Amino acid sequence: MSASTMEAALLLAGVLFMLGLISVLIRRNIIFMLISVEIMLNAAGLAFIVAGSRWVQPDGQVMFIFILTMAAAEVSVGLALILQIYHQLKTLDSDAASFMKG
Amino acid sequence: MELTFYIAAAVAVLSTIMVITRYNIIHALLYLVVSFLAVAVVFFTLGAPFMAALEVIIYAGAIVVLIIFVIMMLNLTQEDVQREKEWLNPSIWVGPAILSAVLLAELVYIVAAGTPPQTEGAVVAVDAKLVGLSLFGPYILGVQLCGIMLTAGIVGAYHLGRQKKKVIHRFLQERSAAA
C-alpha cells in the first residue's frame, strides 16, 4: 500500500469522524445522536486499522476488536436509556431531557 | 486495489453524509448500513479481512438491528399504512441500492481478479491467526477487561430497560382499600 493511499485512508477516518461530530452537534433527535456516536467510533477504529496496516502488525486490529466490543456495550446501554427517556418524557428530543431532577 | 479503495472511500463518505441529513430514522439506518459495508471494503483493501468480516457482522448486522428493534419498541404513533406506503417509494431505496451496487461490483471484481502477483508496495494482509495470537497473548488482560465491561453492559441494559412496576407499601394498600 503506497504512502498516498495511507494518507487518503487517514483522511477518510478524519472526514468520517468530523461528519459524526457535526451530526452530534446539529441533531436534536436522541437516536440520531447515538447513531452519530457509532459513526465516530467506527472512524476511530478505521484509523487504528490504517496504522496496523502501515506497520503490518496485528496490534491495530486488536484495538479495533476492543473498540467494537465497547461500541456494542455502549449501544445496548444507550438504547436502554433512550427507552427510559421516551417512557418518561414521551419525546425523543434531547432538549427535553436537559434537567436533572430525579 | 487502490482504485477499489478510493471508490469505497467515496461511497463511505457519501452514505455518511446521507445518514446525517435524513429526517426519517429508518432511511438514515439504511444509509448507515451502506456506510458500514463501505468501511468494511476499505478494511479489506487495507489488508484486514478478518476485521472486514467483523465490521459486517457486528456493526452492519447486530448494532443496526438493535437500533431498529428499539425504534419498533418505541411504537411511534404517527406511522400508519399511508406512511408505510410512502416508505416503499423507489426514490427512497434507489440511493442505498446504487451505492450498495457499487460495492457489489467491487466485490465481484476482487473475486474475479483472483490473487494478484506480489509487487513492490502491495498490501500485506494481517490474517486472523496473527490477530488471535496477539489477542490472547500480550493483550489477554484487555480481553478480560472487555468481558467485565460486557457483563456490566448487560446488567446495566437490563436494569435501565426494565419497566418498573408501581409498588405500594402494604399499609398504603390497606388504606386505599379502606377508602
Side-chain angles (χ1 to χ4, degrees), chain A residues 20-101:
Chain A
L21 185 61
I22 288 168
S23 181
V24 167
L25 293 177
I26 66 174
R27 282 298 180 138
R28 292 274 69 86
N29 188 324
I30 203 159
I31 293 183
F32 268 104
M33 293 168 81
L34 190 72
I35 290 173
S36 314
V37 171
E38 291 301 315
I39 294 172
M40 287 160 69
L41 281 174
N42 195 30
L46 176 61
F48 271 111
I49 295 279
V50 174
S53 170
R54 168 64 181 79
W55 279 280
V56 199
Q57 292 292 319
D59 303 70
Q61 302 190 19
V62 170
M63 281 300 158
F64 180 73
I65 290 182
F66 290 159
I67 288 177
L68 203 67
T69 318
M70 198 197 65
E74 177 252 340
V75 80
S76 61
V77 174
L79 286 171
L81 280 172
I82 286 175
L83 278 179
Q84 280 296 322
I85 286 174
Y86 187 74
H87 283 125
Q88 302 256 332
L89 303 175
K90 304 292 175 211
T91 178
L92 286 176
D93 187 4
S94 64
D95 284 341
S98 58
F99 59 88
M100 287 196 75
K101 287 177 284 191

Side-chain angles (χ1 to χ4, degrees), chain B residues 113-133:
Chain B
T115 327
Q118 285 297 320
T119 52
E120 187 65 32
V123 184
V124 184
V126 180
D127 60 351
K129 186 183 173 188
L130 274 174
V131 177
L133 282 176

